[in-house]
Amino acid sequence: MADLKTKVMGVEFKNPVLTASGTFGFGEEYSELYDLSVLGGICSKGLTLNKRDGNTGIRVWETPMGLINSIGLQNPGVDSFIKDELPRMKTYNTAIIANLGGHCEEDYFEGIYKLNDSDVDIIELNISCPNVKSGGMAFGIKASIAYNIVSKIKKICKKPLMVKLSPNAESISEMSIACEEAGADGLSLINTIQAMAIDIRKRRAVFNNTYAGLSGPCVKPIALRMVHEAVKSVKIPVCGLGGIMTAEDAVEFIMAGASLIQIGTANFVKPDIAVDIIKGLTEYMDREGIKNLDEIRGIV
Amino acid sequence: MKVVRSKIAENQAIADKIFRLSVEFEGEINPGQFFMLKTTDNAFLLPRPISVHDNCESRAVFLYRAEGSGTTKISTMKAGDELQLFGPLGNGFDLGKLNGRIAVVGGGIGAAPLLYLTKKLGNNADVYLGFKDCVYTVEEFKKFASNMLITTEDGSYGEKGYVTDYIDYGAYDVVVTCGPEIMMNKIMAECKKNNIACYVSLERRMACGIGACLGCVVMTKNGNKRACKDGPVFFSEELI
Ligand SMILES: Cc1cc2nc3c(=O)[nH]c(=O)nc-3n(C[C@H](O)[C@H](O)[C@H](O)COP(=O)(O)OP(=O)(O)OC[C@H]3O[C@@H](n4cnc5c(N)ncnc54)[C@H](O)[C@@H]3O)c2cc1C
Ligand SMILES: Cc1cc2nc3c(=O)[nH]c(=O)nc-3n(C[C@H](O)[C@H](O)[C@H](O)COP(=O)(O)O)c2cc1C
Ligand code: FES
């Protein structure tokens, strides 16, 4: 049978299938549905140093084969994550990735110090959230600004650091190179694409913040191109995501060069879809006589 | 809670754009809980939250309005076709807290989750249903209500006007309601004035339906709550 095991950023993964930040909470709800130990890993809901209540008004809006969200990083804060969520997450027997966002450099630094001493396997640095007014995505647009913050964080970070890129970056390859040069151990992309919806009956923007983040199958071709571009630009491993709904989608990302993949919006469409995708990957490999994903990674 | 593909036993129009859907489902369901429903093709992305209208003989019964693209697509499904459903979800009504003299008040399609509740309350509740013009599901409610009052805005059936104007709030210990927000707000205000307990079933746009995405939050006096997991039923005093 095909071997899905993979070692990335010094961490052993049972398989390359992770669940994406913000679409899986801290795993608790999904653990009532299936055994989470089948997963390669879980990316936590986006954390900030202090608790956040998130945005007001409508937070999710469906579009043709897409979802626009404006959650606004509602989360309990890093301390509460480490104390109340992480011990339970560790019992799921899978890799735990803490997704960390911030408003300003100090927020990121404080968050990193706290996570350094925790049990998380990897820190995924979110410099790309479009749903908070100040900070957040600003770090993820210009390569020079990203270089600056990532290199400072890298100096204090004791965990493998995966930087999550924004599709709204000026240039994905420049951004990827800047993060690699700043010392990032890996990249993940893409976060949501800045988007908008209008309620024509009320004659106003749907979201209180006007713009919000688009995800789901409609973004997949864009995400795939960006992952391909990032992989060509750097040597560090790349985790690909954006609209993955099936095992075939996952294979596309791997052929584009992704070492890991994440499932986001698809978790909402069928809450145990990660199980289907892992099973589908194994079946695909067996059918094609592929022993290890290294055989096809980046062949395109 | 589980994800299943289930066969449709019946999916029939019972009024203009209103459908009764029944699917095979084995398992316990609380009144007020809901399921996420989706056709098995990719006609639309997210499953649609629909309350349990009734539950009998290994079937979950739903009452829904063909509102937009998703529910209209579901309305074209036939007996024997398969649907993806997962549930039951949400807290549902806490029957232990519904004591004394009870009024159940539904507005339009908001009546949907109240039939199974009224059934569970065993001929103990007075039922008030308000409709715009066409009425539905009244005969089903009659079987379980101790008293019934129906209103239509145009007076074509029952009393004329808004159902909220026909309730003698002082006569009840607890009111349970589901319907348009404006109607529920009115009822909550009256209950507060009369010092009566009030439970409301809320609707929010949902993505995951199980508490993970934080898309459906409701502001409460005790912080953000998720309509899908901590609700959809809330004690009105808790709401801001
Ligand atoms: C807990 C709960 C129970 C419900 N029970 C019933 C019921 O028993 N019968 C019934 O007819 N309706 C019920 N609704 C409302 C029903 O979910 C919406 O009418 C339906 O989702 C609209 O989908 P659509 O594809 O037809 O409309 P569209 O406008 O095409 O839908 C677009 C998107 O908006 C979402 N959406 C639109 N309106 C609502 C809404 N009112 N609530 C939540 N999401 C919405 C859809 O899910 C979808 O993601 C319930 C809603 C909730 C939250
Ligand atoms: C409701 C929702 C909340 C999200 N929250 C976060 C978050 O807190 N941090 C983060 O880095 N990405 C967040 N994302 C982005 C996803 O992790 C992912 O990058 C994006 O949705 C693209 O993948 P998909 O198309 O498979 O969903 C969120 C996405 C959604 C839909
Ligand atoms: S719909 Fe996702 S948390 Fe309620």
Side-chain angles (χ1 to χ4, degrees), chain A:
Chain A
M1 211 169 79
D3 181 13
L4 284 173
K5 276 207 263 341
T6 178
K7 192 168 175 183
V8 183
M9 290 173 269
V11 177
E12 302 265 7
F13 292 89
K14 279 177 208 162
N15 60 63
V17 180
L18 320 184
T19 52
S21 176
T23 66
F24 212 70
F26 298 108
E28 187 175 12
E29 292 77 19
Y30 292 90
S31 72
E32 291 171 28
L33 262 165
Y34 66 94
D35 176 8
L36 302 187
S37 72
V38 302
L39 294 172
I42 301 173
C43 300
S44 76
K45 169 67 198 159
L47 303 167
T48 49
L49 182 59
N50 300 310
K51 172 181 187 292
R52 278 179 63 97
D53 282 337
N55 293 337
T56 57
I58 286 182
R59 287 181 169 196
V60 287
W61 188 264
E62 187 169 338
T63 67
M65 288 301 126
L67 169 68
I68 314 183
N69 89 81
S70 180
I71 309 294
L73 283 182
Q74 179 182 328
N75 79 94
V78 175
D79 281 331
S80 168
F81 165 74
I82 293 171
K83 187 167 138 286
D84 307 322
E85 307 292 346
L86 189 55
R88 184 174 24 77
M89 291 178 88
K90 290 302 283 185
T91 67
Y92 300 144
N93 188 20
T94 183
I96 305 298
I97 294 100
N99 180 286
L100 180 69
H103 274 301
C104 56
E105 291 190 352
E106 288 68 31
D107 280 6
Y108 279 112
F109 300 157
E110 282 286 308
I112 295 281
Y113 282 129
K114 289 177 189 277
L115 289 169
N116 272 344
D117 298 327
S118 78
D119 260 351
V120 305
D121 297 290
I122 293 178
I123 296 174
E124 180 177 52
L125 194 69
N126 178 6
I127 54 167
S128 47
C129 183
N131 291 329
V132 287
K133 273 196 178 121
S134 59
M137 194 168 72
F139 294 108
I141 303 288
K142 282 204 183 300
S144 56
I145 296 179
Y147 175 85
N148 203 347
I149 182 119
V150 173
S151 49
K152 284 182 187 163
I153 286 172
K154 184 60 194 171
K155 283 201 189 85
I156 59 167
C157 187
K158 293 184 189 153
K159 304 276 180 186
L161 186 70
M162 175 162 87
V163 182
K164 185 162 176 179
L165 304 187
S166 168
N168 309 305
E170 286 173 348
S171 154
I172 283 294
S173 54
E174 277 173 32
M175 182 58 83
S176 304
I177 293 165
C179 291
E180 181 178 48
E181 286 177 349
D185 301 290
L187 302 174
S188 59
L189 66 159
I190 60 173
N191 207 317
T192 54
I193 302 179
Q194 207 167 34
M196 179 178 185
I198 292 175
D199 185 330
I200 58 167
R201 220 167 26 84
K202 295 187 184 149
R203 304 183 183 194
R204 60 170 295 244
V206 163
F207 298 105
N208 285 355
N209 282 353
T210 311
Y211 305 142
L214 177 67
S215 63
C218 63
V219 311
K220 196 198 89 181
I222 301 172
L224 192 62
R225 184 269 292 171
M226 290 186 165
V227 166
H228 189 250
E229 226 182 293
V231 169
K232 280 196 303 176
S233 312
V234 297
K235 293 202 177 60
I236 50 177
V238 170
C239 176
L241 73 153
I244 297 177
M245 305 293 290
T246 62
E248 288 74 17
D249 292 338
V251 172
E252 284 193 55
F253 276 83
I254 292 162
M255 287 187 170
S259 302
L260 300 169
I261 58 113
Q262 293 180 21
I263 299 167
T265 304
N267 292 307
F268 306 152
V269 175
K270 187 170 179 289
D272 58 356
I273 202 160
V275 180
D276 299 353
I277 292 177
I278 293 164
K279 193 159 152 268
L281 259 185
T282 313
E283 283 167 5
Y284 164 82
M285 289 168 71
D286 287 344
R287 206 165 53 233
E288 300 275 324
I290 301 166
K291 295 223 161 41
N292 192 295
L293 287 172
D294 295 340
E295 290 175 35
I296 55 164
R297 180 173 305 108
I299 60 168
V300 175

Side-chain angles (χ1 to χ4, degrees), chain B:
Chain B
M1 185 220 327
K2 51 187 171 182
V3 190
V4 287
R5 278 183 171 225
S6 188
K7 268 220 173 69
I8 295 177
E10 185 202 7
N11 189 22
Q12 224 152 39
I14 58 161
D16 184 31
K17 292 198 168 174
I18 307 290
F19 292 78
R20 178 180 286 115
L21 164 71
S22 88
V23 296
E24 287 160 14
F25 181 81
E26 300 272 358
E28 286 277 312
I29 304 174
N30 255 347
Q33 288 191 298
F34 66 96
F35 280 78
M36 296 292 272
L37 304 185
K38 192 178 184 297
T39 55
T40 49
D41 57 13
N42 287 328
F44 54 96
L45 187 66
L46 299 174
R48 301 317 196 221
I50 304 288
S51 300
V52 173
H53 181 52
D54 200 359
N55 174 28
C56 49
E57 292 160 10
S58 317
R59 283 187 187 168
V61 183
F62 304 95
L63 186 75
Y64 67 95
R65 180 166 51 215
E67 179 83 29
S69 55
T71 47
T72 301
K73 174 74 192 178
I74 292 173
S75 74
T76 65
M77 306 299 285
K78 302 264 173 315
D81 289 350
E82 276 191 332
L83 278 181
Q84 173 194 303
L85 61 146
F86 63 94
L89 303 168
N91 57 358
F93 298 102
D94 184 347
L95 294 175
K97 290 194 174 138
L98 304 183
N99 300 310
R101 296 158 303 165
I102 308 165
V104 168
V105 188
I109 195 67
L114 301 176
L115 178 71
Y116 186 37
L117 172 70
T118 309
K119 187 176 175 180
K120 286 273 186 183
L121 290 172
N123 295 83
N124 250 330
D126 291 351
V127 174
Y128 296 82
L129 299 180
F131 298 95
K132 199 162 192 298
D133 39 31
C134 90
V135 301
Y136 42 84
T137 201
V138 170
E139 293 307 314
E140 278 73 22
F141 273 96
K142 272 190 185 152
K143 289 184 227 160
F144 309 114
S146 76
N147 288 296
M148 283 273 287
L149 185 130
I150 312 290
T151 65
T152 46
E153 284 173 36
D154 58 1
S156 60
Y157 187 106
E159 306 291 332
K160 184 178 163 102
Y162 294 120
V163 69
T164 42
D165 297 335
Y166 288 88
I167 302 167
D168 176 9
Y169 294 91
Y172 297 102
D173 298 303
V174 47
V175 178
V176 180
T177 181
C178 182
E181 217 160 285
I182 182 161
M183 181 195 106
M184 292 198 286
N185 285 340
K186 174 99 198 272
I187 291 173
M188 286 193 277
E190 290 291 339
C191 286
K192 197 175 172 119
K193 211 158 71 190
N194 290 277
N195 214 3
I196 316 167
C198 178
Y199 292 89
V200 296
S201 178
L202 298 184
E203 272 185 22
R204 284 289 181 281
R205 279 174 186 267
M206 294 182 175
C208 71
I210 65 176
C213 73
L214 307 178
C216 66
V217 302
V218 177
M219 315 282 180
T220 75
K221 286 177 185 151
N222 305 311
N224 280 348
K225 293 268 168 92
R226 298 158 299 180
C228 66
K229 177 105 178 177
D230 309 313
V233 179
F234 289 92
F235 184 48
S236 70
E237 288 292 305
E238 200 192 346
L239 301 172
I240 295 171

